């Protein structure tokens, strides 16, 4: 296996164009190195992109754009600013500090784990991802980019360069809640992100609900979102939203938790998320 | 100035913090090559094909060995039921079938993978109750031919899948149950627990001049010597075990693991040193983890609610081979009543062979789940009676002079009441009850425990510069028992600073027998042996100094780095001068000490299979926990944890508190986080430290600790054992506290969020239904 380091995005795109599927992109390495050690992947070539400073930028004027190499730690300490609590909270729960300081948002997205913490948080913020190749550039909604368990629509010659988030409206609150057996260093048993916008009377005018670890890929529940809009985060609307959410998910029994537990935990978790969003929307 | 009870830096602290310490896994020898084991991928089956030729043909491979290359013998700590390699049948997943030695670790692992191994699967015996049924397949069809290590005449009841049994059936149990006003019955199920030390097991074997030398980081080097000698069929003195800094053991490094394979591979590789090291998954799935068990308890109560008789049955998982477990089966007799009077008690302890990795010692052997059962049962009885749980315990609590089921008399059991009082002063029970909030709960429990009595020895050697070396096979597995305890005790005796005392790492060619780092014994046993050795040094120092000071030896004392005339400290000579003088006149100064605690008197007729007959140097323990349950997720946070513990005397405050904090942390992990499940196929479900979750700093509160000090006249400075006690009760008090918090009994360990949430939601559903009615 060969290793090369790209010094510019163009150089990286050239390499990817030439090597395609034989090449694996390496950023922080927190997933790739483990997959190599477990012999789950055996690429001919590793393309190290971690030094591409232009992919580390965060822009918050107008839309919020972050480079693919922004680390979990950058996000956890709030580099995106107010309005993106869910993103910060999700990044803060990825592994331990050693993982967070090298692990990147682009890597977490492309790894497309069913349990990826940041994906529900990005989904509730209407994330779009931009991919570049020598052929050009395309931008797609995150929900259409991650299409299955560890499956994305990234072409072998494409590099994820930028993630763009929507701007939260006034009176919006967001949150990421994670269920694990212990207080940190957990792969989520369930991860749930919510973003709710309220009007002046406390009625929900816009809702985003997304979950991880309850199906082959993290996903938004439009049914739950619809059930919440028009309510006040009251028990009835939360109950209806939970019912809709449970219809959208397809949890399995795995070593971390049972499908039954995942289903049991979702309604209460959703209720807690709605309460937190309401509080944060006021603040 | 005394250094006993003072905070002193641990002698190995600097090296460990800086990275200079050489752990077993770091050890390398000149021209060393690497080994790897071929392990069974299934838990039960018949080997139909084993072909080593493809591995042997690989360039760089030095040797491949199988059962055909090892002596045709069985080995074992308590029962010789174990072969080095599976020969025809495999009995657990991970069991070694062959071993290879090659130039590099990577190549050794590739060669191990190249060995052709075909196994016809057989039904696996996994369920403990099912294993004891008459129609169960036998894990060991040849069980009758196995010989106890103590000889064929040992009191060792066993039969078929029943690997060991201890039964105590005193008169009066059935009568009491017949006249009982009320009977309370419980069943408790606990999982295994992995010791999860930082350093995976490793060994470097060297065959040279007809002898085997093995380098290993081990809690009990002399036991490894004996096991290697059994497996390789050589006399014990033909094996030399050299110890290294240990990255944790917690009981899992008390018996041999990779050492005999490293020794045999070196012989097969013509004497090249061969190193074996476990991957974390190999380590986890083959570790002698704490056994899973089922405990069934019944108590007979009279009309006042007083317990008048009890029955306790425990069925514990031995795994496929016996290790230390049969010796520990009789602990059930010593813990069946906890620390509460319960009238005549029938105790049945059964140890069961299964097609799973052999279980073994883990800090607080057997006690964790026995106390969990007894203390959950006490809460259940109090709830049935509608009385306060703490009051009910105090009503039945042992006092001074309590005679136990085995006839042992606890002269000082009144210390338990002091323990309850110490906890009460810091966390008044009535106040905690009055301030109860939803989803919060409290639990309290108490225990007694032993200090392992087994022998130890030390030589204290005085250097000509006035410093001392302690030569011993004792090991410090991280507790500080050697790096602080023994070091402080020798420094105190010789009147020199702890930094002038150097304790060797163990080497069975050099130091005398030591029973290893187990059962909280090292500070007490080896500390005492070192103290005796130091006293011999002092006698010799005084004899030589008498000539230098022109004084009678009886008028001298050793203090402050000098030998001096009592009452006239100005008339003195430095120890270094005395030591140097001695070397050139009477010869070098050194002293020898040995110590063993006798077993307390007991009634040998009280039980069958009584291999561990009584508990020497008893200690007493009271714990209290406050927890909060998250009603959304079912997870449990331990908010507050208090420990009152009898320690004899605190030698090292840091070492003592470290053991309490560490033991409670491990106990909290056992109670709440660590899941080690076995599937129906006999294979572990959790196989890495990603899925086997250890508690983190954020999961554990800072323990509030109240040492109780009643010095033991035989212990060094009064010390008793400290290290094991703290893990005995966390499962008990946390289970009691969580059950209290949610108002429903939880009787399994670990307590899972699944179980808690299901219990909460079932309760809510029931409340809703009642509301509707």
């Amino acid at each position: 296996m060969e290793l090369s380091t790209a010094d510019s995005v163009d150089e990286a795109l050239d390499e990817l164009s030439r090597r395609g599927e034989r090449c694996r992109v390496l950023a922080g390495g927190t997933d790739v190195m483990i997959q190599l050690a477990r012999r789950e992947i055996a690429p001919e070539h590793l393309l190290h992109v971690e030094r591409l400073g232009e992919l580390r930028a965060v822009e918050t004027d107008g839309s919020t754009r972050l480079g693919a190499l922004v680390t979990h730690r950058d996000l956890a300490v709030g580099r995106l600013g107010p309005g993106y609590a869910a993103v910060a909270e999700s990044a803060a729960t990825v592994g331990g500090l050693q993982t967070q300081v090298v692990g990147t948002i682009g890597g977490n997205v492309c790894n497309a784990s069913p349990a990826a913490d940041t994906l529900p948080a990005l989904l509730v913020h209407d994330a779009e991802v931009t991919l570049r190749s020598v052929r050009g550039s395309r931008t797609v909604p995150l929900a259409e980019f991650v299409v299955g368990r560890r499956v994305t629509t990234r072409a072998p010659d494409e590099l994820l360069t930028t993630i763009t988030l929507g701007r939260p409206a006034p009176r919006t609150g967001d949150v990421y809640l994670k269920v694990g057996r212990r207080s940190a260093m957990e792969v989520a048993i369930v991860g749930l992100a919510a973003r709710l916008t309220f009007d002046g009377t406390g009625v929900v005018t816009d809702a985003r609900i997304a979950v991880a670890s309850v199906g082959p890929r993290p996903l938004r529940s439009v049914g739950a979102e619809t059930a919440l809009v028009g309510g006040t985060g009251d028990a009835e609307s939360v109950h209806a939203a939970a019912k809709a959410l449970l219809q959208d998910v397809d949890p399995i029994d795995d070593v971390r938790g049972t499908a039954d537990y995942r289903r049991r935990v979702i309604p209460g978790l959703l209720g807690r998320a709605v309460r937190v969003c309401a509080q944060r929307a006021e603040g | 100035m005394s250094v006993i009870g003072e905070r002193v830096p641990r002698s190995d602290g600097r090296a460990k913090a800086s990275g200079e310490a050489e752990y077993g896994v770091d050890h390398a020898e000149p021209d060393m090559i690497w080994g790897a084991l071929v392990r069974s991928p299934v838990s039960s089956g018949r080997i139909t094909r084993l072909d080593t030729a493809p591995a042997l043909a690989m360039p760089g491979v030095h040797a491949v060995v199988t059962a055909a290359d090892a002596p045709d013998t069985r080995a074992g700590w308590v029962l010789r039921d174990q072969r080095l390699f599976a020969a025809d049948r495999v009995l657990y997943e991970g069991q070694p079938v062959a071993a290879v030695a090659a130039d590099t670790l990577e190549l050794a692992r590739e060669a191990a993978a190249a060995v052709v191994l075909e196994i016809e699967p057989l039904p696996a015996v996994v369920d403990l109750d099912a294993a004891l049924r008459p129609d169960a397949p036998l894990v060991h069809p040849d069980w009758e031919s196995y010989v106890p290590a103590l000889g064929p005449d040992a009191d060792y009841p066993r039969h078929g899948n029943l690997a060991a049994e201890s039964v105590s059936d005193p008169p009066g149990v059935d009568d009491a149950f017949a006249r009982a006003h009320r009977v309370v019955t419980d069943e408790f199920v606990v999982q295994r627990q992995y010791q999860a030390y930082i350093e995976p097991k490793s060994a470097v074997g060297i065959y040279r001049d007809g002898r085997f030398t093995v380098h290993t980081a081990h809690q009990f080097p002399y036991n490894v010597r004996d096991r290697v000698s059994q497996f390789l069929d050589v006399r014990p003195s033909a094996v030399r075990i050299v110890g290294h800094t240990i990255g944790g053991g917690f009981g899992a490094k008390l018996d041999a693991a990779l050492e005999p394979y490293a020794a045999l591979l070196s012989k097969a590789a013509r004497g090249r040193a061969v190193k074996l090291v476990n991957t974390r998954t190999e380590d986890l799935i083959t570790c002698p983890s704490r056994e899973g068990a089922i405990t069934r308890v019944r108590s007979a109560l009279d009309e006042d609610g007083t317990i008048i008789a009890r029955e306790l049955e425990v069925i514990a998982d031995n795994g496929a081979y016996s290790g230390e477990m049969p010796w520990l089966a009789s602990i059930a007799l010593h813990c069946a009543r906890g620390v509460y009077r319960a009238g005549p008690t029938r105790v049945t302890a059964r140890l069961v062979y299964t097609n799973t990795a052999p279980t073994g010692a883990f800090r607080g052997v057997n006690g964790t789940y026995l106390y969990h059962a007894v203390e959950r049962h006490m809460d259940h009885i109090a709830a049935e009676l509608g009385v306060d749980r703490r009051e009910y315990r105090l009503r039945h609590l042992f006092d001074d002079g309590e005679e136990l089921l085995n006839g042992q008399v606890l002269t000082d059991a009144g210390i338990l009441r002091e323990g309850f009082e110490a906890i009460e002063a810091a966390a008044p029970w009535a106040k905690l009850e009055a301030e109860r909030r939803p989803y919060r709960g409290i639990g309290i429990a108490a225990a007694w425990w032993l200090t392992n009595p087994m022998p130890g020895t030390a030589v204290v050697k005085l250097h000509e510069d006035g410093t001392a070396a302690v030569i011993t096979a004792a090991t410090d597995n991280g507790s500080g028992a050697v790096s602080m305890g023994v070091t402080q005790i020798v420094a105190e005796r010789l009147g020199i600073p702890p930094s002038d005392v150097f304790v060797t790492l163990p080497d069975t060619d050099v130091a005398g027998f030591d029973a290893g780092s187990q059962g909280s014994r090292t500070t007490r046993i080896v500390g005492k042996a070192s103290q005796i050795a130091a006293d011999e040094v002092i006698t010799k120092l005084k004899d030589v100094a008498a000539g230098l000071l022109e004084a009678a030896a009886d008028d001298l004392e050793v203090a402050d780095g000098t030998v001096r005339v009592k009452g006239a400290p100005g008339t003195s000579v430095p120890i270094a001068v005395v030591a140097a003088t001695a070397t050139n006149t009477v010869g070098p100064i050194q002293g020898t000490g040995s110590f063993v605690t006798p077993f307390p008197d007991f009634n040998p007729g009280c039980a069958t299979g009584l291999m561990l007959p009584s508990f020497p140097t008893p200690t007493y323990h009271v714990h209290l926990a406050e927890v909060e349950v998250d009603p959304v997720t079912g997870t449990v946070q331990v908010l507050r944890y208090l420990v009152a513990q009898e320690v004899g005397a605190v030698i090292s405050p840091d070492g003592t508190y470290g053991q309490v904090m560490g033991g409670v942390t491990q106990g909290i992990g056992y109670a709440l986080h660590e899941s080690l499940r076995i599937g129906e196929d006999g294979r572990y479900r959790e196989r890495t430290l990603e899925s086997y979750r250890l508690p983190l700093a954020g999961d554990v509160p800072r323990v509030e600790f109240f040492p109780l000090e009643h010095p033991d006249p035989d212990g060094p400075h009064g010390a008793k054992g400290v290290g094991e006690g703290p893990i005995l009760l966390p499962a008990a008090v946390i289970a009691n506290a969580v059950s209290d918090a949610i108002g429903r009994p939880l009787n399994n360990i670990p307590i899972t969020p699944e179980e808690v949430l299901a219990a909460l939601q079932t309760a809510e559903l029931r409340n809703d239904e009642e509301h509707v009615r």
Side-chain angles (χ1 to χ4, degrees):
Chain A
M1 189 172 62
E2 286 176 8
L3 173 76
S4 66
T5 296
D7 293 321
S8 69
V9 171
D10 287 339
E11 192 187 321
L13 298 182
D14 280 344
E15 284 274 6
L16 283 171
S17 167
R18 271 190 290 122
R19 300 181 188 275
E21 280 174 1
R22 290 166 296 153
C23 178
R24 187 84 179 192
V25 176
L26 175 72
T30 57
D31 286 309
V32 169
M33 295 309 288
I34 291 168
Q35 288 158 5
L36 283 171
R38 289 179 180 165
R39 301 181 184 217
E40 291 169 0
I41 56 172
E44 284 176 22
H45 194 95
L46 280 182
L47 176 61
H48 186 226
V49 298
E50 207 179 5
R51 292 187 188 160
L52 303 179
E54 54 197 293
L55 299 187
R56 293 194 171 276
V58 173
E59 292 169 32
T60 52
D61 49 335
S63 63
T64 297
R65 295 159 52 84
L66 50 152
L69 291 178
V70 170
T71 65
H72 298 308
R73 197 66 199 154
D74 292 333
L75 297 172
V77 300
R79 265 189 78 187
L80 297 191
Y84 297 101
V87 178
E89 287 165 347
S90 68
T93 70
V94 177
L97 191 59
Q98 294 97 324
T99 302
Q100 291 169 17
V101 295
V102 292
T104 64
I105 187 70
N108 205 226
V109 169
C110 288
N111 190 50
S113 161
D117 286 302
T118 61
L119 288 190
L122 296 176
L123 284 170
V124 300
H125 284 288
D126 298 334
E128 294 184 329
V129 296
T130 299
L131 297 126
R132 283 178 56 190
S133 69
V134 293
R135 296 176 287 123
S137 160
R138 66 182 177 116
T139 297
V140 292
L142 177 59
E144 291 168 23
F145 178 65
V146 176
V147 291
R149 185 181 181 281
R150 298 195 180 279
V151 184
T152 68
T153 64
R154 186 182 79 89
D157 65 345
E158 284 183 319
L159 184 69
L160 175 66
T161 55
T162 311
I163 297 168
T164 308
L165 303 180
R167 278 211 80 72
R171 286 193 294 276
T172 295
D174 69 328
V175 68
Y176 177 72
L177 298 174
K178 177 172 180 172
V179 179
R181 184 92 169 241
R182 59 185 180 190
S183 58
M185 299 282 288
E186 282 279 37
V187 179
I189 299 173
V190 176
L192 185 147
R195 193 190 77 181
L196 299 183
T197 303
F198 297 83
D199 69 11
T201 66
V203 170
V204 177
T205 57
D206 189 38
R208 294 284 184 281
I209 303 292
V211 283
S213 252
V214 286
R217 63 179 178 127
L219 52 77
R220 262 178 65 187
S221 170
V222 176
E225 293 168 358
T226 307
L228 288 169
V229 172
T232 57
D234 52 290
E236 205 174 313
S237 64
V238 171
H239 183 74
K243 210 172 154 186
L245 180 52
L246 286 173
Q247 280 174 356
D248 285 345
V249 301
D250 185 19
I252 57 167
D253 289 341
D254 64 18
V255 73
R256 299 194 299 280
T258 60
D260 176 64
Y261 175 69
R262 291 180 158 106
R263 288 189 170 277
R264 280 179 185 278
V265 90
I266 280 177
L269 206 61
L270 181 64
R272 179 172 285 173
V274 169
R275 284 194 297 281
V276 175
C277 287
Q279 281 164 10
R280 289 182 176 170
E282 282 175 21
Chain B
M1 197 195 87
S2 174
V3 294
I4 300 301
E6 297 299 317
R7 300 186 60 184
V8 301
R10 48 188 306 155
S11 61
D12 58 357
R14 201 190 120 85
K16 283 180 169 173
S18 67
E20 290 166 17
E22 192 202 59
Y23 290 83
V25 76
D26 299 325
H27 185 72
E29 288 280 321
D31 291 330
M32 186 176 81
I33 57 176
W34 292 79
L37 294 177
V38 179
R39 296 178 181 275
S40 171
V42 300
S43 57
S44 178
R46 189 179 310 283
I47 298 172
T48 53
R49 188 168 169 223
L50 178 60
D51 183 1
T52 60
L56 271 170
M58 291 168 69
V61 170
H62 294 256
V64 183
V65 291
T66 69
D69 306 292
D72 182 17
T73 183
R74 287 181 184 268
W77 189 339
V78 187
L79 182 71
R80 298 190 61 156
D81 63 357
Q82 198 166 354
R83 283 185 193 281
L84 193 58
F85 294 106
D88 48 355
R89 282 182 59 192
V90 292
L91 301 188
Y92 68 94
E93 188 207 7
Q95 182 173 11
V97 179
V100 305
D103 282 337
T104 65
L105 177 59
E106 197 177 19
L107 183 58
R109 287 182 175 158
E110 280 173 25
V115 170
V116 178
L117 172 63
E118 289 174 9
I119 297 174
E120 173 198 335
L122 293 171
V125 176
V126 178
D127 181 83
L128 298 182
D129 281 323
L132 289 175
R133 288 188 199 123
D135 59 342
L138 288 183
V139 176
H140 290 275
D142 299 332
W143 67 271
E144 274 179 289
S145 66
Y146 301 162
V147 182
L150 287 174
D153 299 330
D155 172 23
Y156 199 143
R158 58 196 179 91
H159 188 276
N161 285 340
L162 184 63
E165 185 179 55
S166 177
V167 177
S168 179
D169 191 5
V173 176
D174 292 329
D175 286 351
F177 272 96
R179 67 172 195 275
H181 189 70
R182 191 195 289 260
V183 173
V184 178
T185 304
D186 278 308
E187 178 176 300
F188 304 95
V189 180
V190 296
Q191 257 178 29
R192 294 187 178 201
Q193 185 183 19
Y194 172 46
Q195 288 82 345
Y197 32 78
I198 293 173
E199 183 193 17
K201 291 182 182 179
S202 69
V204 178
I206 307 158
Y207 179 72
R208 202 160 291 160
D209 291 338
R211 297 183 79 221
F212 295 99
T213 298
V214 185
H215 292 263
T216 179
H218 207 276
Q219 292 175 246
F220 192 172
Y222 268 92
N223 201 33
V224 187
R225 180 201 65 170
D226 292 353
R227 207 69 57 249
V228 172
S229 106
Q230 287 176 339
F231 275 123
L232 301 186
D233 203 17
V234 296
R235 58 186 182 175
S237 58
V239 179
R240 174 189 178 195
I241 304 299
V242 183
H244 292 265
T245 302
I246 305 172
F250 310 110
K253 295 173 182 169
L254 284 170
D255 203 353
L258 297 175
E259 294 86 358
Y261 303 97
L264 183 68
L265 278 173
S266 177
K267 188 177 181 185
R270 298 166 190 272
R272 291 281 289 271
V274 179
K275 182 170 184 173
L276 281 165
V277 56
N278 271 345
T279 65
R280 181 56 73 175
T281 293
E282 278 184 295
D283 203 88
L284 190 155
I285 67 169
T286 63
C287 188
S289 62
R290 188 192 303 289
E291 67 281 12
I294 304 166
T295 308
R296 300 183 174 112
V297 199
R298 289 170 75 212
S299 291
L301 314 180
D302 67 11
E303 55 272 29
D304 300 328
T306 301
I307 307 169
I308 54 172
R310 175 170 293 171
E311 272 190 308
L312 182 141
E313 178 196 32
V314 57
I315 303 172
D317 191 348
N318 192 42
Y321 295 100
S322 287
E324 190 184 8
M325 295 301 295
W327 196 66
L328 306 171
S330 45
I331 287 178
L333 180 66
H334 309 311
C335 300
R337 301 187 303 176
V339 292
Y340 312 106
R341 284 186 290 276
T345 300
R346 180 182 292 137
V347 182
T348 307
R350 295 199 171 96
L351 189 64
V352 180
Y353 277 125
T354 58
N355 287 116
T356 61
T359 56
F362 189 152
R363 190 182 203 169
V365 286
N366 303 49
T368 52
Y369 56 85
L370 289 165
Y371 282 115
H372 169 258
V374 168
E375 292 286 357
R376 280 292 303 129
H377 187 59
M378 289 297 278
D379 264 26
H380 183 188
I381 296 173
E384 289 268 333
L385 297 171
V387 298
D388 179 78
R389 298 177 279 156
R390 182 174 178 275
E391 271 310 310
Y392 189 71
R393 283 177 167 82
L394 292 175
R395 210 172 114 189
H396 289 82
L397 193 65
F398 287 172
D399 273 318
D400 286 350
E402 187 70 35
E403 183 176 333
L404 304 179
L405 299 170
N406 63 342
Q408 179 178 355
V409 175
L410 293 182
T411 56
D412 57 357
I415 293 171
L416 283 161
R417 210 163 286 270
E418 289 177 37
F420 273 94
E421 285 161 10
I423 298 284
E424 181 67 9
W429 184 257
K431 188 162 176 278
L432 293 173
E433 287 277 27
E435 290 172 358
R436 284 279 301 276
R437 287 162 47 183
Y439 302 113
R440 287 207 182 177
I442 52 174
I444 193 164
W448 78 295
W449 200 243
L450 77 163
T451 308
N452 182 303
M454 291 168 70
T457 186
V459 169
V460 173
K461 179 182 80 168
L462 204 60
H463 290 294
E464 294 83 347
D465 60 5
T467 64
V470 183
I471 300 154
T472 174
T475 59
D476 191 318
N477 72 349
S479 68
V482 172
S483 66
M484 292 187 287
V486 171
T487 302
Q488 282 170 274
I489 288 165
V490 171
E492 177 77 8
R493 210 59 158 194
L494 296 179
I496 59 179
S499 54
D500 281 356
V501 176
F502 172 80
V503 187
T504 60
L505 285 165
D507 182 334
T508 59
D509 267 10
V510 176
F513 180 88
D514 185 88
S517 172
Q518 58 168 329
S520 316
R521 66 177 278 285
T522 300
T523 300
R524 177 185 157 82
I525 301 284
V526 184
K528 183 73 177 182
S530 302
Q531 209 176 40
I532 294 167
D535 283 344
E536 189 182 328
V537 167
I538 287 170
T539 301
K540 291 177 175 174
L541 275 171
K542 286 181 185 172
D543 284 346
V544 174
L548 296 172
L549 293 170
E550 296 181 348
D554 285 351
D555 293 335
L556 300 181
E557 63 181 3
V558 176
D560 294 336
T562 66
V563 185
R564 66 193 186 191
V565 177
K566 287 181 202 164
T571 311
S572 68
V573 56
I575 285 177
V577 172
V578 184
T581 304
T583 301
N584 295 313
T585 54
V586 297
I589 291 181
Q590 62 179 35
T592 306
S594 292
F595 190 68
V596 57
T597 313
F599 275 98
D601 289 343
F602 61 96
N603 167 18
C606 70
T608 58
L610 190 62
M611 290 194 229
L612 176 49
S614 57
F615 268 10
T617 323
T619 57
Y620 302 96
H621 311 261
V622 184
H623 290 203
L624 183 145
E626 185 178 13
V627 304
E628 181 161 30
V629 171
D630 183 330
V632 167
T633 62
T635 50
V636 176
Q637 185 72 28
V638 182
L639 302 174
R640 203 173 167 195
Y641 203 99
L642 292 84
V643 172
Q645 177 171 336
E646 168 60 23
V647 298
V650 173
I651 303 293
S652 159
D654 292 335
T656 303
Y657 186 76
Q659 287 301 293
V660 171
M661 187 70 214
V664 169
T665 299
Q666 240 169 355
I668 289 174
Y670 180 56
L672 295 173
H673 307 102
E674 298 175 35
S675 178
L676 188 57
R677 293 168 297 176
I678 296 172
E680 286 176 8
D681 60 358
R683 300 171 78 238
Y684 282 120
R685 295 202 58 202
E686 282 82 8
R687 306 173 72 82
T688 67
L689 291 180
E690 182 181 314
S691 50
Y692 188 82
R693 299 178 185 84
L694 294 160
L696 306 172
D699 298 308
V700 182
R702 186 157 178 85
V703 173
E704 300 165 55
F705 174 50
F706 308 94
L708 309 172
E709 295 184 276
H710 300 81
D712 183 79
D714 292 332
H717 303 280
K720 302 173 184 173
V722 173
E724 286 203 297
I727 203 174
L728 296 172
L729 291 171
V733 293
I734 289 168
N736 281 344
V738 176
S739 300
D740 180 43
I742 68 170
R744 293 174 68 82
L746 292 172
N747 288 349
N748 296 343
I749 293 293
I751 297 164
T752 65
E754 278 95 336
E755 193 187 13
V756 173
L757 192 62
L760 276 172
Q761 292 183 349
T762 309
E764 279 166 19
L765 204 61
R766 187 178 301 165
N767 291 342
D768 289 350
E769 280 165 7
E770 279 167 10
H771 195 66
V772 170
R773 265 183 237 133

